[in-house]
């Protein structure tokens, strides 16, 4: 009789008790589906051992073991039916992956286009009003002292945004707090501090020398650059996934990188660092992945638009795909009608699902483990949508 216990390794990725608990869950799952003909214990030890060997830390072990348990349940214990994470199963009859006609994929995409009213409710500029036609109002927004004082979106301190480059102490938490059901209080993921903490770090685990803000209305956004309606740009029928990285500048919240990926070929068709209008205050490198903006290696905002707003890229006939893409289109200053937003397609109560969670839950894709990458995010969003519609994830040749 086999003694069911975790296999011994030179380097343990997690404490013995945690590994033992995971092993027992694997055994129970296999027994539930009777997938091992009475050898659940041996099979479970093998599977858990494989997870332990490829895990370099306790955190990665927990993640990999959760993937294993999820896949066991998904396949009813028959892991051999799974290819690499995020890849559709092989067609058993033909011996090749399933494929789909391009016309069928386009029909499926058409069914999940977001209605104009829903876009407007989710922060998209739908062109309801001409935001670029009142220069007097623009001047008023820039100079009227009533509009100068605003709350810093990181530490909530009121400050004069015309003095944004003056030294200040901005102390804040890098990540938002989450509710801990066990302790029944808020907990900041970035540092572990709680809302009831009285330590110095409770005020924030990071300090920066300037406060920051972001425009809240389309009218304010248009004071930096006008919105452009893509309805007036004639061009090819195409499907594109896009993602932007943003930074804080003296003029607010601006785009510093844009990536566009073709839906059908999965090829990156545009990727560039973009120079903001204002003076950089914080590149948000830990999230944006951008550490410097060199003029010789980047584009101006206008040059970027001249390249992406055209017949064979973004135009009136384009279907644009993104996650929480209202933020991307607002920093691009674009009004577009054909939108598919995975944050809207996958609602989570009154909150929106994070792309990181969706990518893992839907296609077993692990992203945003460190600095963000707009190309990785755009591709992950595309994969999540394909999985939802039953479109083969890795198909690049279409009939």
């Amino acid at each position: 009789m086999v003694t069911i216990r975790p296999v011994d390794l030179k380097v343990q990725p997690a404490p013995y008790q945690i590994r033992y608990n995971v092993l027992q869950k694997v055994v129970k799952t296999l027994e539930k589906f009777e997938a091992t003909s009475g050898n659940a214990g041996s099979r479970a030890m093998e599977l858990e051992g494989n997870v332990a060997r490829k895990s370099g830390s306790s955190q990665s072990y927990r993640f990999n073991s959760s993937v294993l348990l999820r896949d066991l349940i998904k396949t009813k214990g028959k892991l051999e039916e799974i290819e690499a994470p995020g890849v559709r199963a092989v067609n058993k009859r033909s011996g090749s992956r399933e494929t789909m006609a391009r016309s069928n994929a386009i029909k499926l995409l058409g069914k999940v286009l977001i209605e104009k009213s829903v876009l407007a409710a989710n922060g998209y500029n739908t062109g309801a009003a001409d935001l670029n036609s009142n220069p007097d109002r623009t001047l008023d927004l820039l100079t009227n002292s009533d509009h100068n004082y605003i709350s810093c979106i990181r530490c909530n301190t009121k400050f004069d945004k015309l003095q944004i480059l003056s030294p200040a102490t901005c102390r804040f938490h890098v990540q938002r707090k989450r509710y801990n059901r066990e302790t029944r209080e808020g907990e900041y993921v970035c540092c572990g501090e709680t809302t009831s903490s009285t330590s110095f770090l409770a005020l924030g685990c990071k300090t920066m020398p300037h406060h920051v803000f972001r425009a809240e209305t389309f009218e304010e956004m248009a004071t930096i650059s006008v919105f452009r309606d893509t309805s007036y740009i004639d061009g090819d029928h195409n499907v594109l996934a896009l993602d932007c990285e943003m930074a804080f500048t003296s003029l607010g919240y601006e785009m510093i990188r844009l990536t566009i990926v073709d839906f059908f070929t999965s090829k990156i068709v545009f990727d560039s660092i973009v120079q903001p209008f204002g003076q950089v205050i914080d590149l948000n490198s830990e999230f944006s992945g951008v550490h410097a903006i060199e003029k010789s290696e980047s584009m101006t905002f206008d040059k970027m638009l001249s390249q992406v707003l055209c017949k064979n890229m973004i135009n009136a006939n384009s279907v644009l795909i993104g996650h929480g893409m209202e933020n991307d289109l607002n920093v691009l200053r674009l009004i577009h009608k054909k939108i598919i937003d995975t944050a809207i397609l996958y609602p989570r109560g009154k909150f929106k699902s994070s792309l990181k969670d969706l990518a893992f839950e839907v296609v077993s894709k692990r992203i945003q483990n460190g600095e963000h990458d707009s190309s990785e995010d755009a591709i992950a969003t595309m994969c999540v949508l394909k999985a939802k519609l039953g479109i083969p994830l890795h198909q690049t040749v279409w009939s």
Side-chain angles (χ1 to χ4, degrees):
M1 184 176 182
V2 178
T3 301
I4 301 176
R5 59 185 299 276
V7 295
D8 293 325
L9 300 174
K10 283 186 177 181
V11 179
Q12 297 291 343
Y16 178 86
Q17 191 58 47
I18 291 177
R19 290 190 59 197
Y20 181 80
N21 292 340
V22 168
L23 180 58
Q24 295 304 312
K25 290 180 181 179
V26 175
V27 171
K28 290 180 180 179
T29 303
L30 289 173
E31 290 177 339
K32 178 180 178 181
F33 297 116
E34 299 180 349
T36 55
S37 303
N39 297 319
S42 299
R43 180 64 173 144
M45 289 171 60
E46 178 186 354
L47 293 172
E48 189 279 334
N50 290 337
V51 166
R53 290 185 186 92
K54 71 177 182 180
S55 302
S57 66
S58 178
Q59 183 178 5
S60 64
Y61 174 79
R62 292 172 186 270
F63 175 85
N64 291 330
S65 59
S66 67
V67 172
L68 170 62
L69 288 165
R70 187 206 61 185
D71 287 348
L72 283 172
I73 294 172
K74 185 177 180 180
T75 63
K76 296 184 178 181
K78 299 177 181 179
L79 287 178
E80 62 274 9
E81 292 185 358
I82 292 185
E83 291 188 58
V87 181
R88 298 193 85 197
V90 170
N91 186 308
K92 303 302 181 182
R93 293 182 182 178
S94 64
S96 61
R97 291 176 184 170
E98 298 174 12
T99 60
M100 179 180 289
R102 184 188 180 99
S103 59
N104 289 338
I106 291 175
K107 288 179 182 178
L108 291 172
L109 291 168
K111 292 180 180 180
V112 291
L113 289 172
I114 310 296
E115 294 181 2
K116 183 177 180 179
S117 60
V118 178
L119 291 175
N122 281 273
Y124 284 87
N125 184 351
T126 58
D130 186 352
L131 304 174
N132 309 314
S133 61
N134 190 345
D136 293 334
R137 175 59 177 162
T138 297
L139 180 64
D140 179 60
L141 282 170
L142 291 171
T143 60
N144 192 328
S145 59
D146 291 340
H147 299 284
N148 291 348
Y149 282 89
I150 192 169
S151 294
C152 172
I153 66 171
R154 296 198 292 206
C155 70
N156 207 37
T157 299
K158 281 273 189 179
F159 73 102
D160 183 352
K161 64 183 180 182
L162 295 183
Q163 302 298 319
I164 193 170
L165 294 176
S166 299
T169 300
C170 181
R171 184 176 294 117
F172 60 98
H173 288 284
V174 178
Q175 296 180 338
R176 295 178 181 179
K177 62 177 179 288
R178 293 183 179 179
Y179 181 72
N180 187 317
R181 293 183 179 180
E182 294 181 3
T183 61
R184 296 185 179 182
E185 60 182 352
E187 186 176 276
Y188 293 98
V189 179
C190 48
C191 60
E193 286 293 318
T194 64
T195 49
S196 63
S197 173
T198 57
S199 74
F200 179 75
L201 284 178
L203 298 175
C205 56
K206 186 172 183 178
T207 302
M208 296 295 284
H210 299 284
H211 296 303
V212 293
F213 74 97
R214 62 187 296 175
E216 296 296 331
T217 67
F218 302 134
E219 193 173 25
E220 289 177 284
M221 295 175 195
T223 62
I224 300 177
S225 179
V226 299
F227 277 85
R228 292 169 172 80
D229 192 334
T230 60
S231 298
Y232 301 103
I233 304 172
D234 190 26
D236 302 333
H237 289 266
N238 56 21
V239 183
L240 306 168
L242 66 83
D243 187 75
C244 297
E245 301 296 350
M246 292 78 147
F248 290 110
T249 77
S250 57
L251 296 178
Y253 197 55
E254 296 192 64
M255 179 185 64
I256 54 174
R257 181 183 175 187
L258 169 65
T259 303
I260 302 176
V261 182
D262 181 81
F263 182 83
F264 292 106
T265 65
S266 296
K267 291 182 178 179
I268 296 174
V269 294
F270 184 89
D271 187 21
S272 178
I273 300 296
V274 179
Q275 301 166 24
F277 290 98
Q279 183 174 332
V280 173
I281 290 177
D282 185 0
L283 285 174
N284 279 328
S285 299
E286 59 200 294
F287 297 112
S288 70
V290 178
H291 293 265
I293 299 179
E294 303 291 342
K295 287 189 176 181
S296 60
E297 300 176 1
S298 59
M299 292 185 180
T300 63
F301 187 85
D302 290 336
K303 183 177 181 180
M304 174 274 298
L305 284 183
S306 70
Q307 292 195 14
V308 301
L309 298 181
C310 60
K311 178 179 182 296
N312 60 355
M313 206 169 294
I314 298 177
N315 61 73
N317 298 312
S318 301
V319 173
L320 299 184
I321 299 166
H323 186 86
M325 197 166 52
E326 74 279 5
N327 297 310
D328 304 286
L329 293 190
N330 286 340
V331 294
L332 277 165
R333 302 295 191 267
L334 294 183
I335 299 170
H336 192 75
K337 293 181 172 59
K338 297 182 178 181
I339 298 291
I340 301 176
D341 189 332
T342 51
I344 298 175
L345 293 181
Y346 285 87
R348 190 156 291 177
K350 62 180 180 179
F351 301 104
K352 291 183 178 179
S353 301
S354 73
L355 179 58
K356 181 176 182 177
D357 290 343
L358 274 184
F360 169 62
E361 294 169 7
V362 179
V363 292
S364 300
K365 193 175 183 68
R366 193 175 184 184
I367 64 170
Q368 300 176 358
N369 295 312
E371 296 175 353
H372 290 202
D373 183 323
S374 51
S375 60
E376 179 185 58
D377 290 353
I379 292 171
T381 303
M382 201 167 61
C383 288
V384 167
L385 177 61
K386 287 180 177 180
K388 182 177 182 65
L389 299 179
I391 298 173
L393 268 62
H394 295 279
Q395 182 177 343
T396 57
V397 178
W398 302 79
S399 57

